[in-house]
Amino acid sequence: MKRLILLPIALAALTACVPLQPVKDFASASRDVGTTARSAYVQFDSELAKAKYTSAMLRGEPVTPETFSGILTKDQGMEIRADMLDGLVNYASALETLATKNTSAEINSAAADISAQLKAFEGDYKALGGTDWPLTSSDNALIASAFKVTADASVLQLRRNAIRNAVVKSDPAIQKISTLLQQELTSMGTVIGGYYLQNETAFITAYEQKKAALSPGEILAYGEMIKVIHDRIQDTPAFYGKVATCCEKIGVTHAKLRASTGTREFLSKEFVDDVKDLVSYVKETKNHYKELAK
Amino acid sequence: MSVSKPFTPVTQPENIHQLIFQAVQQLSAVYYGTSAPEQKEVIYKLIKELNDRSLSLLEQEIDTNSQDLVDATDLIKSSTATAKQAIGDIDKTTKLIGQVAQAIQIIDQVLKIAGPFVV
């Protein structure tokens, strides 16, 4: 009896031991990248508009409503990207839920119920038949354990199937999004960097022309503004470049997850290593964003 | 003041914006190196022209990419719906597993009632 029960327990336990933590980490990092990229798009338009109108006004050039706008808010560009990045965030959240779906509390409770019911059986059996119940207390415990492990394993298998289906179905879209975002964000970084250079020349020239009439406080205020712009010439393209690289890494890692979930091992070492690299890179990018937003 | 970077030989311009940014960096260095206001004005206009060209190119890229992104977004939303349905299925399965214990309890009840006849 015990041997018969122990065999399925051992087999099921082997399946249940496969961890889904790397999928959870990947999904969580993808969610962060989606949120940061969304902020980067919004920030691009506001930074661009500010650089354009401050340069024009400092130089006394004519301004039009166009001077105060970015390029994404003009048409549907921002709306499409916001919708797409929200879609990426929602997808990553669903993947994260599948990877972390904890059903053990319900299963533990069911296993405890089974153990209690078997015990109740024992008493009723004896009372009704007057003969001994054929299972000992440890047999009862074994049956409850077998039930728990088998149930855990079958739920894990359901989760793995669901992850595989979602990843295979979404991969073509993830690849397209990853490539386009990588290209756009890299370009946006250098474009805004160029405008900051232009902005810096406008500020310095304005300062040179007006410095004789400025109070010490006004001179310092100019100095602080020029310093902020000077730092952004390098920092902003670097930040957009990092977000672009994050998007590229999501595409590469998702493709590895897709390939990996089709194999018996389910999560390959290549995928797990890529996730570690992605998580660390996303953390660095988020810190960069916090610095830039100060 | 600004960081000056040398031009690098380019055989295949992979990112035109990067090349324009490098050109603007060079022009900016020249801007601070000259004291003649007329020359400064000419250089500033060149910088502005290059930046505006780069922005206009970016606008075109964004326009071209937009439809592709709409299609990809639809696919992502559909995949998310599939994943959410699977989460619901797992919840149902877990409830079903919990019902096994209840089934045993029912058997016990049946046994109590029918026991004297079958045991």
Side-chain angles (χ1 to χ4, degrees):
Chain A
M1 177 72 186
K2 282 179 190 171
R3 279 183 191 167
L4 282 174
I5 294 170
L6 282 171
L7 185 64
I9 291 180
L11 288 172
L14 275 175
T15 322
C17 280
V18 179
L20 294 176
Q21 184 66 30
V23 178
K24 188 246 172 205
D25 292 343
F26 170 68
S28 171
S30 302
R31 195 162 37 79
D32 282 349
V33 171
T35 310
T36 309
R38 202 182 193 285
S39 305
Y41 273 100
V42 174
Q43 187 173 312
F44 174 77
D45 251 19
S46 73
E47 283 195 273
L48 177 68
K50 192 172 179 186
K52 271 166 43 182
Y53 76 72
T54 49
S55 295
M57 294 178 92
L58 282 168
R59 287 175 48 82
E61 290 170 349
V63 290
T64 62
E66 183 88 353
T67 319
F68 296 89
S69 68
I71 55 168
L72 289 161
T73 37
K74 271 199 303 191
D75 300 315
Q76 281 189 307
M78 189 62 228
E79 202 181 311
I80 289 169
R81 277 149 190 81
D83 189 37
M84 185 265 299
L85 288 163
D86 286 346
L88 179 66
V89 167
N90 289 338
Y91 166 70
S93 298
L95 204 59
E96 193 174 1
T97 305
L98 279 174
T100 53
K101 184 91 188 131
N102 190 353
T103 54
S104 59
E106 290 98 324
I107 292 171
N108 278 346
S109 155
D113 279 355
I114 285 177
S115 188
Q117 290 310 321
L118 288 174
K119 203 168 170 54
F121 250 159
E122 185 179 354
D124 294 339
Y125 189 89
K126 273 184 190 168
L128 290 167
T131 52
D132 281 342
W133 177 243
L135 300 177
T136 64
S137 297
S138 77
D139 288 336
N140 288 353
L142 264 176
I143 291 169
S145 293
F147 165 81
K148 181 185 150 18
V149 173
T150 311
D152 277 339
S154 68
V155 171
L156 178 67
Q157 193 56 44
L158 281 176
R159 288 161 63 200
R160 286 171 56 158
N161 287 344
I163 289 169
R164 184 185 302 115
N165 289 341
V167 167
V168 168
K169 187 174 177 184
S170 65
D171 194 56
I174 295 288
Q175 295 311 317
K176 191 173 277 184
I177 287 171
S178 151
T179 306
L180 292 182
L181 287 188
Q182 190 265 333
Q183 287 167 357
E184 280 186 11
L185 287 161
T186 306
S187 300
M188 284 159 65
T190 48
V191 167
I192 199 71
Y195 274 102
Y196 274 130
L197 271 166
Q198 182 183 327
N199 210 207
E200 186 183 44
T201 61
F203 255 107
I204 289 175
T205 304
Y207 167 72
E208 290 293 336
Q209 287 168 351
K210 292 173 188 171
K211 66 182 175 187
L214 297 175
S215 68
E218 288 169 330
I219 289 173
L220 283 178
Y222 254 104
E224 278 167 18
M225 282 188 285
I226 293 168
K227 174 75 169 73
V228 168
I229 292 165
H230 180 72
D231 289 346
R232 295 218 160 190
I233 292 168
Q234 299 303 322
D235 285 349
T236 308
F239 165 66
Y240 280 91
K242 278 190 169 148
V243 183
T245 305
C246 285
C247 293
E248 186 184 16
K249 282 176 184 286
I250 284 178
V252 171
T253 311
H254 197 273
K256 285 188 183 167
L257 177 61
R258 181 194 175 166
S260 177
T261 55
T263 64
R264 199 173 167 187
E265 63 180 333
F266 196 70
L267 298 180
S268 66
K269 185 180 180 305
E270 288 83 3
F271 168 71
V272 174
D273 289 347
D274 265 25
V275 171
K276 282 180 193 158
D277 175 56
L278 175 70
V279 168
S280 144
Y281 200 82
V282 169
K283 196 175 170 188
E284 191 184 314
T285 305
K286 277 171 74 180
N287 288 340
H288 195 147
Y289 179 68
K290 278 181 197 160
E291 286 295 313
L292 208 63
K294 274 182 187 171
Chain B
M1 175 64 79
S2 67
V3 177
S4 170
K5 283 186 181 173
F7 281 115
T8 48
V10 173
T11 51
Q12 191 184 355
E14 284 183 359
N15 188 332
I16 186 73
H17 305 286
Q18 186 62 37
L19 294 178
I20 291 176
F21 183 53
Q22 286 175 5
V24 169
Q25 283 179 312
Q26 294 295 318
L27 284 168
S28 170
V30 176
Y31 182 92
Y32 296 115
T34 185
S35 53
E38 303 79 24
Q39 283 179 1
K40 276 187 179 285
E41 191 58 23
V42 170
I43 295 164
Y44 180 86
K45 282 184 175 162
L46 274 173
I47 290 174
K48 185 177 185 312
E49 177 66 19
L50 282 171
N51 280 335
D52 290 347
R53 286 277 173 94
S54 188
L55 185 62
S56 170
L57 282 170
L58 180 63
E59 263 187 286
Q60 288 173 37
E61 284 168 35
I62 282 172
D63 262 1
T64 314
N65 290 347
S66 287
Q67 190 50 51
D68 275 355
L69 287 178
V70 169
D71 295 343
T73 305
D74 288 344
L75 186 53
I76 285 277
K77 283 180 180 171
S78 160
S79 305
T80 306
T82 307
K84 283 185 176 167
Q85 192 188 334
I87 294 166
D89 290 346
I90 291 168
D91 285 335
K92 279 183 205 159
T93 307
T94 311
K95 275 187 191 151
L96 205 65
I97 289 168
Q99 283 164 4
V100 172
Q102 290 171 9
I104 293 178
Q105 192 177 14
I106 290 164
I107 293 170
D108 190 31
Q109 297 299 321
V110 171
L111 197 65
K112 278 180 187 165
I113 297 163
F117 306 104
V118 295
V119 176

